[in-house]
Amino acid sequence: MIASIAFHNFKALRSASVRLERFNLLIGPNGSGKSSLIEGIMRMGALARLPPSEAVPDGEGGGDRAEVRFRLTPPYAAWEVVMRCATRDHCDALRWIHHAGPENPVEREALRERLRSVRRYEFEQAAMVRGGAGLPDAELAPDGANLAAVIHHRRVAHPDAYERWRRDVLRALPEYDAVSAETDAEGSAVIRLRLVEEAEVITHQDLSHGSLCALAIFCLATDPSPPAVLCIEDLDRGLHPRLLREARDALYRLSHPGNGEARPGHSQIVATTHSPYLLDLFREHPEEVVIAEKHGRASTFRRLCDCPDLAEMMAGVSLGDLWYSGVIGGVPEEPETGGAEVRTAPGGGSGS
Amino acid sequence: MASNVSLRVAKLAVLSESPADEAAFGILIEAVLERPFVRVRANLRARGWPSVLQVLPAVIRHLHFNTDAQGLVVVVDSDDSVVHTEAHDAPDYFHPQCRMCRLRATFRQTVKRLPPARGRERVLRGVGVAVPAVEAWYLCGRDARVTEEAWASGQARGALPYTRGQLKERIYGTDRPSLEYALRRAVAEVERFRRDTRRLEHDFPGFASLAHDLRSWTLG
Ligand SMILES: [Zn+2]
């Protein structure tokens, strides 16, 4: 959907650009702009709900004014969407630029419709066991609220998607041999899971944070009408390292449909992580890893596949260890020191 | 020793497991080099053995092509591995269970394959192994019974003279020190060697090897 994004003065992203693949794993220290990237996508999605304004001035201001430019993938490759911001924190309008010939309003509306669907998730345990006050049954809240209702709705309205979700859950959580979404005596949706070789059935309210996160990730991954761009913060959060593979595989089925499973629609995925174990799973696809770097208060992005000598550096070492070592970047900044004190490079002198 | 090296400040990188140890090694390196140095790529870090050994080729490669580091200092704990001896220094000898031998061999094999870059032939090697852990270095001069020799002969007898936990307990007063406290303690202990590292080199050949490496650098 999004081919690339160029940020200018947007939060910590003073001058940063990034090319996006169908799946993108963002790594980097805290405060390095990973969330700002996602925030940029979300604001663009929110502004796409407004009717296109003809009044947005072209190219004036510049300087300190924030601007985020989105290039898109086919069939919208001729389009560029420019988000203008009055201040660093207040973006007010989108400009729709067609780079090849006269624009087609029908195509623009289709693009606008698609971009409006972008979603961002950051799961919270307390939220995932809650209903989604006011949300439609089919919609998972950004913090994971409404999970049981979404699954229950899907059981009725999209049985295929529901079955895919059940398969994913039972494969990833082998301690259960049955899972279903039902309604309780009060009519509230509830997910029930049966422990293997025990008659005991538990509900989603009894699950650990990690198990709930897995249920929610599979819910997104099997969405019958997935968003154009699906952003997940801290994808590894709460998940046992051995569960990461199942989570990645489920999301790959959403970002790369056709790999053996027929499913409607697909999403571009942008996920952040601090897990070297999750990063290990992208050894064969360094083009899917984006490294966020912090330089003082400004941040930039780089693709792992653009690191010089990557193949040689990866020989005999896990990608997670390589990241931790600091040689591919994406680690917290530390001052350059000599001895015990922080020094700047002196021009000469000798201790003897 | 300092007279035959350039007065220019050395640029080197340090790879170890903890910022606390790095701060202490900074003081020891400066004491051996007898002059200040600048640490490049201060954010190198390893996740313990064997991760150090696995990332070492990538770290050397990275420093060689992408930085102006003249040398790389790597220090690891020996833990329960075989302690390096003079016998290991024989030509073409290599003890597969000795961390000093493994690190040196990895260094040698890695730099051998790299063409000259950034005006230098290779990144110079500085390898130290703390036996059995870096806290033993920090106790040097405080307790004459804590030496590499005492540990190695204890290993040979099958009766270790102390545990790594006991060494930590004595340095930090706990075997769970905070990073900030560990850094302060490590720096305070190695300050004793700022003017003279001979005792540390004598009691800990794993440090003497590092000092020897550093003195062999003719930088500038
Ligand atoms: Zn040896």
Side-chain angles (χ1 to χ4, degrees), chain B residues 71-158:
Chain B
L72 169 64
V73 168
V74 188
V75 181
V76 300
D77 290 351
S78 75
D79 298 328
D80 297 315
S81 65
V82 169
V83 175
H84 186 77
T85 66
E86 270 177 32
H88 297 190
D89 289 330
D92 299 326
Y93 186 85
F94 165 86
H95 195 300
Q97 269 85 51
C98 166
R99 294 185 180 176
M100 179 74 79
C101 286
R102 307 260 337 239
L103 288 170
R104 285 179 174 177
T106 299
F107 229 107
R108 193 166 51 241
Q109 287 153 11
T110 306
V111 297
K112 199 171 67 186
R113 291 197 304 262
L114 301 177
R118 301 173 84 100
R120 48 156 160 52
E121 283 291 310
R122 67 180 69 87
V123 171
L124 299 167
R125 179 197 83 189
V127 176
V129 176
V131 176
V134 72
E135 286 76 16
W137 289 5
Y138 302 159
L139 276 171
C140 176
R142 291 215 183 280
D143 182 343
R145 290 166 303 174
V146 177
T147 65
E148 197 167 310
E149 163 61 27
W151 180 265
S153 60
Q155 259 187 339
R157 283 198 315 274

Side-chain angles (χ1 to χ4, degrees), chain A residues 308-309, chain B residues 60-67 113-118 120 123:
Chain A
D309 280 335
Chain B
I60 293 170
R61 232 191 140 78
H62 171 69
L63 292 172
H64 184 70
F65 289 117
N66 305 327
T67 76
R113 291 197 304 262
L114 301 177
R118 301 173 84 100
R120 48 156 160 52
V123 171

Side-chain angles (χ1 to χ4, degrees), chain A residues 325 337, chain B residues 12-18 21-23 25-26 29 37-46 59 63 69 71-75 126:
Chain A
S325 79
T337 60
Chain B
L12 56 90
V14 179
L15 178 63
S16 78
E17 294 171 31
S18 138
D21 298 340
E22 273 168 32
F25 299 154
I29 292 164
F37 69 92
V38 170
R39 206 171 80 190
V40 296
R41 290 295 299 184
N43 43 13
L44 291 178
R45 190 68 37 80
V59 168
L63 292 172
L72 169 64
V73 168
V74 188
V75 181

Side-chain angles (χ1 to χ4, degrees), chain A residues 321 325-326 334 337 343 352, chain B residues 30 34 39 41-42 45 47:
Chain A
D321 273 345
S325 79
E334 290 177 22
T337 60
R343 297 174 197 277
S352 55
Chain B
E30 205 166 272
E34 298 182 52
R39 206 171 80 190
R41 290 295 299 184
R45 190 68 37 80
R47 271 203 287 191

